[in-house]
Amino acid sequence: MAHVYREDIDWLRAVAVLSVLAFHWDIPPFRGGYVGVDIFFVISGFLITQIIQSEMMAGDFSFARFYERRVRRLLPALYVMLVLTVLPSFWLLLPSERHEFFRSIAAVVTFTSNIFFWWQTNYFAQAADEKPLLHTWSLSVEEQFYLVLPLLVWALLRWQGRASHRNWIVFAGLGAAALASFVFSYWLMTSGRIATAFFMSPPRAWEFLTGSLVAVKGFPVVRNIHLRRIAGGIGLAMVLVPAIAYRDGTVFPGAAALLPCAGAALFIWSGLEGGATVRALWSPLKIAGFFGKISYSLYLWHWPLFIYAKFSKPDLAPDAFEKAVLFALAVALSWASYRFVEQPLRRGSLIPSRRSAFAMAGCSTAVLLATAALGMTSARTSDMDGRARQLEAYSKDRYDSSYRAGVCFVEYWPLFDDKACLSMVVGKKNVLLWGDSLAAHYMGGLQSHIDPTRVNILQLTAAGCFPALTVLRGFNEFCRRFTHRAAAFLEETKPDIVIISADWLGYSRRRDYVTIDEINRTLQSLKNMGIAAVIVGPSIQFKGRLPSMLLRAEIRKIDPLPLQDLVVPDIFELDMTMKSAIPVQDGITYVSVLDAACIEHKCPAALASGEPLSWDHAHLTAKGSVLIAGYIARAAQLPLLRQTE
């Protein structure tokens, strides 16, 4: 059965794939471009449900034909990408990384990569940036959905009754399934099982089903072209706003996925009565349609290309020009994949029969599984793997006792221990360390320098929470509670000194914070309370995970290391801005970590012992904390242990 081509859906595909690419490649302003995957899910749900239902109601549906189309649509381009990404892995990956890479190939071809990466990865973590096939998790979710949807629609359409009643039965059934999936997703998110909600198909099913509901026969249609255009514009805005406004720290998916999914569904709905229009070659909509057509191949290629490009550079950070070249290469590869792989196999010109299509899919899968098995067994560890394990071991510092994680540095409010963290001691100078994780990482270092017989260090730190005395726009419930607790403690207890530190760079990039204004308001409030304040400037931040940077440099024998290329340059500009904007007066001290530790924008990456300064892009290792906190303790004129004076 022929189906009408919808060019507007190709426009939506273009928005989705370019948003994802911009997010993965760190191209502003699409910090929330990961919602592009959710848009793809809505599109898939709509198209597949439309095809299944129309063929079933015409008595022309075949499960074998349905899965043949899925095989022809998804596997050829995917398998070509897998084969070609194997080759650079022997040059750019460590044997242990290559072992993981071949394991992920086995997961991809069995459509379980979402489970594989769920088991080992937080999608938004820095380490996720080093897995060439991480992006295939969404394909596995999609295929798992395709195993269930035809059966569900078939069962609903088997319900006896008039055709119009069957349409509403299908709508009600799919709607109930969508609601159950969303409730399950929301429960997972609120109970802290965010990775499960992100990677698993049951809590993601509602996104596909949102598109499915629009595809149900009898769904209301607006025929007025002006109303359709308004609806389409609103839908597009609902997609673009989260793609720009959301951040890595946005609690996602859950309720936050409602806006882009509803926007995608509204955009699709607005074009139900539309048709294709002949357009000029260089029309913007023609160009958008081009990206929509190659969107699947572009999604497949953009991520491994970027990962391998990163691994070829000491700083793991392609610059703007290199990203432009990569984009041109990705588009060229994607067009070739679409033109010479996707299209011939979808149309059946290369493999005409259904039997041969399934046979080819089975043989190709078997070959790739054998390749994965061979790759896993041949990827023996090397001396460099030992160095890799040594460097990666510092990631455990995140849970090191020096952070006092789970007690005085918390990610969930009920874990905070007031007695252990905020007990004042009479006869000692009471010093409060206040802020987020980039305050907590100084705790161990301060303890190693400060004389405990004269100083009592208190700690009030929470992950991702800007240290302020009033609730700011954009605070989640966790940070609101943290802010109220901090304000109450400072007002009632009044410690002698407050040391304030946070991810100032990260907050300065958010639209809902005016960082320096808020800092000055807080400093003035502390001064009015009679509390001395030490504001610590931007922490040293690297362009990628520092252990990985050091390792890649060792692999490629880069010596000396170009230290100025490893650091995010924005921290120096922000440090200058903060120094000039924060008033120097009695009771307020500004400490520039960068002035103390970095020379001509060259910041220490490794200690004399070879240990990295940070275990990720910014958070200090235990010994890194000792080095940097020493500058802070001296600048704040705190009583020091004799051996550190």
Side-chain angles (χ1 to χ4, degrees), residues 381-573:
T381 57
S382 66
D383 292 340
M384 194 54 69
D385 281 305
R387 177 61 174 152
R389 284 192 295 272
Q390 185 182 40
L391 286 170
E392 287 301 317
Y394 294 106
S395 293
K396 296 177 182 177
D397 282 3
R398 178 178 182 179
Y399 305 103
D400 191 271
S401 58
S402 64
Y403 277 58
R404 303 174 84 185
V407 182
C408 304
F409 168 59
V410 297
E411 297 180 82
Y412 304 100
W413 184 255
L415 297 177
F416 197 83
D417 187 336
D418 277 18
K419 184 176 181 181
C421 308
L422 298 176
S423 295
M424 302 277 282
V425 177
V426 177
K428 293 184 181 181
K429 186 180 290 289
N430 290 285
V431 178
L432 172 68
L433 179 63
W434 178 32
D436 59 14
S437 59
L438 293 189
H441 70 169
Y442 293 130
M443 187 65 189
L446 289 172
Q447 288 177 320
S448 71
H449 287 285
I450 293 174
D451 185 352
T453 64
R454 293 183 285 171
V455 178
N456 173 45
I457 306 179
L458 304 92
Q459 184 179 354
L460 186 62
T461 52
C465 293
F466 185 99
L469 292 174
T470 56
V471 173
L472 305 181
R473 184 169 60 90
F475 274 19
N476 57 30
E477 181 58 30
F478 168 57
C479 290
R480 289 190 189 99
R481 296 180 67 178
F482 175 74
T483 300
H484 290 315
R485 183 68 190 94
F489 173 77
L490 289 165
E491 182 67 39
E492 296 166 6
T493 312
K494 294 183 174 59
D496 299 293
I497 300 174
V498 176
I499 298 175
I500 308 171
S501 181
D503 182 12
W504 307 124
L505 182 62
Y507 296 125
S508 70
R509 290 171 171 170
R510 292 181 57 169
R511 296 176 182 274
D512 44 4
Y513 295 156
V514 183
T515 306
I516 294 177
D517 290 347
E518 295 300 339
I519 291 172
N520 280 330
R521 272 193 284 270
T522 297
L523 293 175
Q524 189 59 49
S525 296
L526 291 173
K527 184 178 180 180
N528 294 340
M529 295 179 199
I531 302 172
V534 176
I535 183 79
V536 181
S539 298
I540 299 172
Q541 296 202 25
F542 299 93
K543 293 178 180 177
R545 286 198 321 131
L546 183 58
S548 184
M549 285 182 172
L550 296 175
L551 183 63
R552 304 292 165 193
E554 289 187 29
I555 292 173
R556 299 179 62 208
K557 297 180 172 54
I558 298 173
D559 188 25
L561 200 61
L563 295 176
Q564 68 276 13
D565 294 335
L566 305 186
V567 179
V568 176
D570 295 355
I571 57 174
F572 297 102
E573 182 181 348

Side-chain angles (χ1 to χ4, degrees), residues 222-290:
V222 174
R223 290 181 170 81
N224 183 289
I225 189 170
H226 300 295
L227 292 178
R228 281 173 31 214
R229 286 174 177 170
I230 291 171
I234 294 173
L236 185 60
M238 292 168 66
V239 164
L240 291 176
V241 166
I244 294 170
Y246 287 2
R247 296 291 186 270
D248 288 358
T250 301
V251 181
F252 196 87
L258 278 171
L259 185 61
C261 288
L266 181 60
F267 186 86
I268 292 169
W269 176 71
S270 71
L272 283 178
E273 288 295 301
T277 302
V278 177
R279 301 188 188 280
L281 180 62
W282 297 108
S283 163
L285 294 179
K286 187 78 170 180
I287 295 171
F290 166 77

Side-chain angles (χ1 to χ4, degrees), residues 175-391:
L179 180 61
S181 171
F182 177 77
V183 170
F184 182 45
S185 173
Y186 186 80
W187 175 77
L188 289 172
M189 296 293 292
T190 54
S191 60
R193 299 172 175 87
I194 296 176
T196 303
F198 191 94
F199 283 106
M200 294 294 107
S201 51
R204 286 285 194 167
W206 71 268
E207 300 181 19
F208 293 91
L209 292 168
T210 299
S212 296
L213 291 172
V214 180
V216 173
K217 297 288 185 183
F219 194 85
V221 173
V222 174
R223 290 181 170 81
N224 183 289
I225 189 170
H226 300 295
L227 292 178
R228 281 173 31 214
R229 286 174 177 170
I230 291 171
I234 294 173
L236 185 60
M238 292 168 66
V239 164
L240 291 176
V241 166
I244 294 170
Y246 287 2
R247 296 291 186 270
D248 288 358
T250 301
V251 181
F252 196 87
L258 278 171
L259 185 61
C261 288
L266 181 60
F267 186 86
I268 292 169
W269 176 71
S270 71
L272 283 178
E273 288 295 301
T277 302
V278 177
R279 301 188 188 280
L281 180 62
W282 297 108
S283 163
L285 294 179
K286 187 78 170 180
I287 295 171
F290 166 77
F291 281 104
K293 286 181 170 65
I294 68 167
S295 60
Y296 177 56
S297 287
L298 185 56
Y299 181 81
L300 291 177
W301 277 108
H302 84 281
W303 184 244
L305 276 178
F306 188 66
I307 293 299
Y308 285 145
K310 285 178 58 175
F311 283 174
S312 68
K313 291 177 61 68
D315 61 359
L316 301 182
D319 59 30
F321 175 76
E322 290 163 337
K323 288 178 182 179
V325 173
L326 272 179
F327 181 72
L329 178 59
V331 171
L333 280 172
S334 302
W335 176 83
S337 174
Y338 172 76
R339 175 66 178 81
F340 300 110
V341 179
E342 286 189 59
Q343 289 298 95
L345 287 162
R346 286 180 69 181
R347 293 170 177 167
S349 56
L350 291 181
I351 303 176
S353 72
R354 181 177 303 159
R355 182 186 296 273
S356 59
F358 284 131
M360 181 61 70
C363 290
S364 301
T365 300
V367 168
L368 283 169
L369 284 172
T371 302
L374 183 63
M376 284 186 278
T377 56
S378 64
R380 303 182 185 278
T381 57
S382 66
D383 292 340
M384 194 54 69
D385 281 305
R387 177 61 174 152
R389 284 192 295 272
Q390 185 182 40
L391 286 170

